[in-house]
Amino acid sequence: MDWDKLRIFHAVADAGSLTHAGEALHLSQSAVSRQIRALEESLNTTLFHRHARGLILTEQGELLFDATSSMNKRLETAAARIRDSEDEVFGELRVTTTTGFGSLWLAPRLGKLYERYPDLKIELMLEERVLDLPMREADVAIRMKEPSQADLIRRRLMNIRMRLYASPDYLAAAGTPTSVEDLASHRLVSQSPTAPQVSAGATLVQWLLSNDIRSTLAVNNYYGVLQAVLCNLGIGVLPDYLTEDFPNIVRVLPEVESSEVPVFLAYPEELRQSKRVAAFRDFVLEEIISYRRQQSDGAAI
């Protein structure tokens, strides 16, 4: 098949429009249309259904789009590896992690990485959905469980637990609970048990709610839970990695905590030699070592 026609087909399928694909490719709509028509004739099949709202792939078009998507990802990988053959660390790096960890732990530390590599361009993709690294939806992932995808290099970073925290002002006004039963007179701030989250956190929240708690506030990520705690709205279920950057929040009911949650860093095997990935990996490991040291020092006091 003609590679140029496949490139144009992929752009049209991705955009769902001849006009938008033409703009992206810097071609006229008629030129794009001629190439698609020629590709359909060479394959003796129809690749798109045409209607007033745009173009929809036929079953045969879906098959071809799957193939061109895979080809496109491989070409991106090859280009990234070629760029990484240089000595300098520069270019784009797509990092995915959860909203809570990315916004509360990782993002505040990225300034140190930019100081070291000012030409690095990071796209931070914060979501609970697990992106497909081998298909290059992202370059590096930090996740709260061991990745199950094949062909990944993975490194266990640390273990975290979900615990109960409140602000000093809230506790001064509402009192400090001394037992789980005392939580009935407080407001519990947490992620909803049905929201995407690590199972250990959901299990802890479900158990706490079984104690007939009178008032609750459910937020769909830990950033929102933390802000509610800092604004004196109640006692929050939060990951313990926050205590380094928010030392003023107070742990409540120290005997109450979730089971351990492993934190893994992972990236595709094909990016093993990537200098951008290595720079980010080494930076995160340095920050984890510093975090662990502070945790140990705090426990020893």
Side-chain angles (χ1 to χ4, degrees):
M1 281 184 252
D2 187 316
W3 285 93
D4 198 49
K5 290 184 176 61
L6 290 176
R7 178 178 65 90
I8 293 171
F9 162 79
H10 183 82
V12 173
D14 194 46
S17 160
L18 293 173
T19 301
H20 292 156
E23 291 171 355
L25 296 168
H26 304 291
L27 295 172
S28 67
Q29 179 178 339
S30 59
V32 173
S33 179
R34 283 196 302 272
Q35 294 282 9
I36 296 299
R37 189 161 54 248
L39 180 61
E40 289 180 323
E41 289 174 357
S42 69
L43 293 173
N44 193 30
T45 191
T46 300
L47 298 173
F48 294 98
H49 293 301
R50 279 82 169 170
H51 63 85
R53 292 177 296 172
L55 302 176
I56 296 177
L57 287 166
T58 63
E59 182 178 354
Q60 292 78 14
E62 290 279 3
L63 289 172
L64 187 58
F65 186 57
D66 286 344
T68 58
S69 296
S70 180
M71 290 162 54
N72 196 50
K73 294 293 183 183
R74 289 181 177 275
L75 289 171
E76 287 178 0
T77 298
R81 292 181 68 176
I82 291 169
R83 289 193 298 268
D84 283 333
S85 65
E86 303 293 333
D87 290 335
E88 297 180 36
V89 175
F90 70 99
E92 296 182 359
L93 183 69
R94 295 170 298 166
V95 179
T96 179
T97 188
T98 61
T99 303
F101 190 83
S103 59
L104 297 172
W105 193 90
L106 180 59
R109 290 166 168 78
L110 288 179
K112 300 177 187 177
L113 183 62
Y114 281 121
E115 287 177 7
R116 199 176 302 175
Y117 306 110
D119 295 325
L120 198 58
K121 300 176 182 179
I122 297 175
E123 180 181 353
L124 202 52
M125 306 159 75
L126 305 183
E127 54 182 296
E128 310 311 310
R129 182 174 67 93
V130 177
L131 300 187
D132 192 330
L133 297 184
M135 287 301 294
R136 294 304 303 278
E137 288 188 317
D139 300 312
V140 183
I142 298 177
R143 284 293 170 191
M144 307 299 124
K145 63 178 181 178
E146 183 170 6
S148 59
Q149 292 168 302
D151 300 325
L152 293 181
I153 297 171
R154 61 205 74 198
R155 176 74 177 265
R156 190 166 185 153
L157 298 176
M158 61 179 174
N159 297 314
I160 62 174
R161 292 179 185 269
M162 309 303 161
R163 293 170 172 166
L164 297 176
Y165 298 94
S167 69
D169 289 345
Y170 173 83
L171 295 175
T176 301
T178 58
S179 68
V180 174
E181 289 73 23
D182 290 346
L183 290 176
S185 59
H186 292 268
R187 181 175 299 108
L188 183 70
V189 185
S190 69
Q191 288 204 60
S192 167
T194 59
Q197 61 186 297
V198 294
S199 59
T203 299
L204 177 61
V205 171
Q206 287 175 332
W207 177 73
L208 290 169
L209 292 176
S210 69
N211 288 275
D212 194 27
I213 294 176
R214 176 171 54 87
S215 179
T216 63
L217 171 62
V219 189
N220 67 345
N221 61 62
Y222 287 123
Y223 180 81
V225 175
L226 174 64
Q227 293 306 308
V229 168
L230 294 176
C231 291
N232 312 316
L233 288 179
I235 296 173
V237 181
L238 288 165
D240 59 6
Y241 59 71
L242 293 174
T243 55
E244 180 184 353
D245 297 325
F246 299 91
N248 291 331
I249 60 175
V250 179
R251 187 175 178 187
V252 177
L253 298 177
E255 71 279 7
V256 175
E257 62 183 10
S258 74
S259 58
E260 280 191 340
V261 178
V263 181
F264 281 86
L265 181 144
Y267 52 93
E269 174 72 34
E270 59 197 12
L271 293 181
R272 178 186 289 275
Q273 303 302 323
S274 167
K275 290 180 173 60
R276 289 170 297 131
V277 170
F280 179 79
R281 177 201 62 208
D282 294 345
F283 159 74
V284 170
L285 290 174
E286 288 173 13
E287 290 299 311
I288 291 294
I289 290 170
S290 174
Y291 165 79
R292 286 173 173 165
R293 187 179 297 122
Q294 292 197 30
Q295 292 290 93
S296 299
D297 292 345
I301 295 174

